Amino acid sequence: MPRLLVFQHVAAEPLGTLDPLIRRRGHRIRFANFERQPDFQPNVDRYRGLIVLGGPMNVEDQAQRPHLRTELLAIERMLEQGKPVLGICLGAQLLAHVLGAPVRRHHQAEIGWYPLQTTAAGRADPVLSPLGESAPVFQWHRYSFEVPRDAEHLARTEGCEQQAFRYGDNAYGFQFHLEMDEAADRALAGQSGVSR
C-alpha cells in the first residue's frame, strides 16, 4: 500500500476533504506535525508523494522556524525523484520558492470564501477541470507566490492573480484551501475563535 507524507503546521488544520479521497485510492497517510515536532527530519525516499499544508508562518521565517528549511529540502528531493507534490497555501509558497519564484506579502489579505476563476489551462487540467470556469474556494493568506517559470498558471481570484499552478505533470501549488468545505470552515473558526 503506497504511503503519502503530509506536512502539518497547525494541529487544527487537517487534510480535510482530501483525507477520505486519498484513503479510498488505497494510500496510507503519515502526518508530520511541525508544530508538535519542529525537529522532525523526514526520509522522503520512503514515500510515494508529499502534501504540504498551510500555516501561519512564511517562507521568510526560516531563521526563526528551521523546520521550513527541512520542508524546502524535502520538496526539492521529491521533485528530483519525480514524485507527486501538492502544496496548499503555505505549502504552495514553499513549492514556488523551491522552483525559484518570489513569495511576497500580498497587498490585501484574503480570508473567507472567494470565487476562483480557472484559466484556460486550469479548465483543461486533470485536477482542476472539475471546478469548471468558477467555483467558491476558501482562502486564508496574507502572502502570495508568483507562478514559477515553466509552470502552468491554472487559476486566479479578483484580488490575487496567482492562485494555482502546475509544474510538470505532478507538482501542484494551490494558494486556496481545496481541502476545506463549509463544515471544516465552521470547525476551524470555532477552534481559532475567528468568525468570518
Side-chain angles (χ1 to χ4, degrees), residues 33-87:
N33 188 316
F34 288 102
E35 183 178 45
R36 293 186 179 137
Q37 293 179 286
D39 298 326
F40 178 68
Q41 293 293 319
N43 177 2
V44 297
D45 297 351
R46 300 170 55 203
Y47 297 93
R48 182 80 174 268
L50 174 65
I51 299 173
V52 185
L53 297 176
M57 61 287 300
N58 302 296
V59 172
E60 64 192 18
D61 295 338
Q62 294 175 52
Q64 301 87 4
R65 298 179 182 264
H67 65 83
L68 292 172
R69 185 72 192 134
T70 300
E71 295 182 63
L72 291 167
L73 292 171
I75 292 168
E76 195 172 282
R77 178 79 175 148
M78 294 298 267
L79 292 174
E80 287 170 358
Q81 295 179 1
K83 294 177 180 175
V85 176
L86 171 59

Side-chain angles (χ1 to χ4, degrees), residues 125-192:
D125 183 78
V127 173
L128 287 191
S129 61
L131 297 179
E133 291 186 16
S134 181
V137 295
F138 185 74
Q139 305 273 4
W140 194 324
H141 69 98
R142 288 181 171 81
Y143 281 70
S144 61
F145 53 77
E146 292 293 324
V147 173
R149 185 177 178 177
D150 300 327
E152 288 277 357
H153 180 205
L154 302 178
R156 62 177 56 92
T157 60
E158 186 175 324
C160 183
E161 178 66 19
Q162 296 82 16
Q163 283 286 340
F165 67 86
R166 184 188 69 244
Y167 180 79
D169 292 331
N170 56 0
Y172 284 85
F174 298 155
Q175 185 61 73
F176 56 93
H177 290 269
L178 189 64
E179 80 282 14
M180 293 289 286
D181 58 15
E182 290 184 19
D185 177 24
R186 286 192 298 274
L188 183 60
Q191 290 177 12
S192 66

Side-chain angles (χ1 to χ4, degrees), residues 104-139:
R104 300 185 186 93
R105 188 169 185 87
H106 200 61
H107 63 276
Q108 183 176 348
E110 283 186 315
I111 300 175
W113 292 89
Y114 290 79
L116 181 81
Q117 290 92 39
T118 52
T119 64
R123 290 189 291 279
D125 183 78
V127 173
L128 287 191
S129 61
L131 297 179
E133 291 186 16
S134 181
V137 295
F138 185 74
Q139 305 273 4

Side-chain angles (χ1 to χ4, degrees), residues 4-8 15 29-33 49-53:
L4 298 181
L5 182 60
V6 177
F7 289 166
Q8 277 182 303
L15 196 49
I29 301 170
R30 161 71 156 98
F31 289 92
N33 188 316
L50 174 65
I51 299 173
V52 185
L53 297 176

